[in-house]
Amino acid sequence: MDTDVDGPTANKDAAHPQDWPYEEKVMGWAAWSMDTGFSYGTDGKQDWLGDSGFNSAGFQPAWWITKGDRSQVSPALDAFCNTKDNCDPNVPPNCPNEDCYKQYWWNQSNTTWKPDCKTTCGHENIKYQTLISEPGQGHRLQEGTPVCTGAPSGTQVVASIPNGTPTWSDCGNTASAGNFGFRFFPDSDGHFEGKEDLHQVGGGYGGHYWYAHTRNADHLGGDGGPMAINGVWTLGQDLGWARVLVHLPDTGAQTRQAKYHVINTDSTSPDRAVQQRAGRWVSLGAFHFTGRPAVMLSNVTDDGTADEDIAWGSVAFQPLPGKPKNVVVAMGDSYSSGEGASEGDRDYYPETNYRSKLDDNARNACHRSTQAWSRQATMPGAPQSIGQLDDSLDPSMDYHLIACSGARTYNVLHDGVPQDNSRELPQIDKGYLDQNTSLVTISIGGNDSRFSDIFQKCLLSVGSGNCKDKSFDEGDEDKNVGGRDAKFAGQKLETAVPGIINEVVRPDINKTLLQIYGKAPHAKIVLMGYPPLLSDRGSCLSIGPLGLSSDSADWLNATASTLATAMQGAADDAKTQGVNVWFSDPTRDFAGKGVCGDPEQVHGIVKTLVKSDNPSNDWPWLRSYGLSAQSFHPKIGGARLYANSLERTMTGMGL
């Protein structure tokens, strides 16, 4: 060990710790832990410089009362090298081999070089001050679950390791129809730092996958950053049309921005973003390959702060006889995602319905449901519903549900705003629209029209007349619309809401339709409207001091009609600009079946929470009542009513 421990050469020993004796390792690391550049809290999440608790030491160092005591962590040379073992401390031996050192081996009684240890010895610094079974693993479980069977029928699977490699799991040796490899990027010293952050787990499909942390440019990722990692799967044969699926493991994969790049395809949008914690096979879409099929995934994401994992598992290629007849993308807000169209948690895709116990920022509440109306609907002449064809990977159907509960137009638009409750990319930037898309369904505009804010004011106005007379306050303004709603501050809702709908929402819906057309120029677009939500004047709504007056219920339903008219206008505006768009109005389908209807097909006030419900954020004005976000959204039967409207519209479109 260097004796000049506080001098400029003090850290040189750290360059070759494999040469240290055990005792020197213990004492040396206790006093001078190496700096790793990384800091992790007890919950497994990475800290950054300036964060509370940041400590990038490789080992938790001890502490000494004085700096001088710390510098004397090692014994003097003559403590173990003296006449008792034939050693001269003035001329320490420099032996070429083990046999030479044996003649100087210390075999005498104990020796002491710090008789006043209470003051001069180091004091341990315990990282875990309270009992904890094991160090935290962030959002990961301790181990993944291998999935040995169940690859999609008729597919060729490319694994994350070479064919025939032992996995040491129940899956045995790997079966792979191609190859997989990584690319790392050197830092300024020629070192490949990304390799430090690459790990492997005996879980996922076939019993193996890799994972690393997500990184953006500020966290050493970015284009060719030193912590950036690219993984590429390549099939061992050429294909024409094929569906590409990725297997997402049940652990070691939390990112909501995994962007897969499909290589050697003529798609105008070869990048497809995926929410990774699905724990199943997920389709990236159907592609026409013009060369050897391959897929690349990078750990670089827009939100990559190194506290979420991204995984490289297996990729499957399903040969198709040709382009699927129907290439459908379902976009939009909660009414399209299927919010409320679930029996509790049952029908939501799990990766769109969770809330981390460690960090609410890792929450996703997009609430994409298997019972969403776009899945329940049947294309004209099709033998099964869109959802059934999608689930069976039917060659005629390529379907993607990317709608998200809470979405506004700017959560859909290119380079728009990622959603607060999901950190998912803006929907157009998720990449599922291209020249092959044949149908796009979307409901959007309800949240832009301040649906939540209006219902808040009306539910709290029971017994006090008509809520249309309440005011639109400065706090009701949306910071993401460029101040276009500021002119309505202080006005009564009766004038403010229609003003916002016609002057802000209608042009933003038109902009959304134009952008969809720009990405999918051959698609027909169905803009789905919102029905009046209340039947029987909302007479059944009551919880504590909350409820609706009859006049308020009438005004709310009239406002729904105002929005429907504006949406029809936005569709008409887009038609004049060359967009193939139809407005589908479900009003008649919901007649007498809204909240308080018979049968009631729209939820009223729902107090039973699902996994991702966070009332203090979703409904801050009702937090004491613990309301679910499913409140005032269509039930499964209501989604079926929406499907009826879509089917009627598709028939009129000539699909």
Side-chain angles (χ1 to χ4, degrees), residues 237-392:
Q237 68 177 79
D238 291 343
L239 292 176
W241 276 95
R243 193 190 317 270
V244 180
L245 303 103
V246 294
H247 188 271
L248 306 176
D250 60 353
T251 181
Q254 300 98 28
T255 181
R256 289 148 280 182
Q257 297 189 7
K259 187 172 287 188
Y260 292 83
H261 178 70
V262 184
I263 301 171
N264 292 328
T265 174
D266 61 6
S267 171
T268 55
S269 183
D271 296 325
R272 305 291 169 98
V274 168
Q275 155 65 282
Q276 263 212 336
R277 64 185 298 146
R280 67 176 191 278
W281 288 98
V282 172
S283 172
L284 300 182
F287 299 88
H288 179 237
F289 287 98
T290 57
R292 188 60 54 93
V295 177
M296 183 186 78
L297 174 65
S298 173
N299 69 328
V300 176
T301 65
D302 291 347
D303 67 344
T305 54
D307 58 358
E308 288 190 327
D309 293 341
I310 191 167
W312 294 267
S314 296
V315 170
F317 298 87
Q318 179 197 26
L320 298 173
K323 176 185 173 181
K325 178 182 178 181
N326 299 300
V327 181
V328 182
V329 181
M331 308 175 68
D333 56 21
S334 55
Y335 279 71
S336 286
S337 71
E339 175 76 77
S342 176
E343 290 293 336
D345 297 298
R346 184 193 69 185
D347 300 299
Y348 293 134
Y349 291 105
E351 70 274 16
T352 70
N353 179 37
Y354 71 88
R355 181 161 51 120
S356 171
K357 295 180 180 179
L358 296 174
D359 180 7
D360 276 355
N361 290 328
R363 167 177 174 258
N364 189 305
C366 280
H367 286 174
R368 298 185 185 115
S369 172
T370 60
Q371 301 295 327
W373 51 266
S374 59
R375 285 178 52 86
Q376 290 197 48
T378 299
M379 304 285 294
Q384 293 178 304
S385 71
I386 293 174
Q388 290 171 319
L389 295 175
D390 174 51
D391 292 342
S392 64

Side-chain angles (χ1 to χ4, degrees), residues 1 26 33-34 76 93 99 149 153 155-156 179 205 207 222 241 256 267 315 348 520 590 606 622 631:
M1 175 182 289
V26 173
S33 176
M34 67 186 298
D99 289 338
T149 60
S153 177
T155 61
Q156 300 181 55
N179 61 71
Y205 185 80
W241 276 95
R256 289 148 280 182
S267 171
V315 170
Y348 293 134
F590 281 85
V606 180
L622 294 174
S631 301

